[in-house]
Amino acid sequence: MRHPLSPTAAMLALGILVVPLAAIPAGPAQAADKAAVCAEARERYAAMEGIDKAPANTETVLMYKYTFCPQTLTVKAGTTVRFLNVDKRTSHSVWFKEAGQAESDRLFPEEMYSLTLQDAGTYPYLCGPHWKQEGMTGTLTVTP
Ligand SMILES: [Cu+2]
């Protein structure tokens, strides 16, 4: 049996560390990066004070580092979805552009925007200032 810290294992471990770092693009974050961003966003949300963490019939989408967390969400018609900015400095917006809705006001850290959709369907949305350059978009699916 090979020793767990044999040179080969150490080199493999190093390779695992080096490859993803080199693969990080300058543009929109890839899926793996988004997962890490959203894990951090959830930690920030959990630590945030003064916000009801379990409001009735409500789902929460976090906005953090040019990412909606989760990026796709399915809810039953009549569920309220609130979009909460857990960023440190950056402001975001929520814009159901394709559905013809007006863009939300700019949401600063710890501010939120809520909406309740009654009609089943798939609703893509975006962040006004960050969808083009940063790919900050999401999709909300409403089921009957
Ligand atoms: Cu944004």
Side-chain angles (χ1 to χ4, degrees), residues 63 66-68 87 90-93 126-131 136:
M63 297 180 281
Y66 310 126
T67 305
F68 287 108
D87 242 310
T90 313
S91 65
H92 301 283
S93 75
L126 46 85
C127 168
H130 303 127
W131 69 277
M136 187 170 175

Side-chain angles (χ1 to χ4, degrees), residues 31-100:
D33 304 319
K34 297 265 189 199
V37 165
C38 286
E40 206 176 302
R42 285 191 297 273
E43 280 174 26
R44 290 182 59 79
Y45 175 52
M48 203 172 268
E49 290 175 12
I51 289 169
D52 184 358
K53 301 286 169 53
N57 202 28
T58 300
E59 294 285 344
T60 303
V61 174
L62 304 175
M63 297 180 281
Y64 187 57
K65 292 189 175 174
Y66 310 126
T67 305
F68 287 108
C69 303
Q71 272 193 292
T72 59
L73 177 66
T74 300
V75 299
K76 273 192 171 291
T79 304
T80 296
V81 180
R82 62 179 190 175
F83 298 82
L84 172 66
N85 186 352
V86 297
D87 242 310
K88 290 169 193 165
R89 293 173 201 85
T90 313
S91 65
H92 301 283
S93 75
V94 179
W95 190 5
F96 286 79
K97 193 171 183 239
E98 274 190 40

Side-chain angles (χ1 to χ4, degrees), residues 12-33:
L12 281 173
L14 186 63
I16 286 163
L17 286 175
V18 168
V19 172
L21 284 176
I24 292 174
Q30 299 296 318
D33 304 319

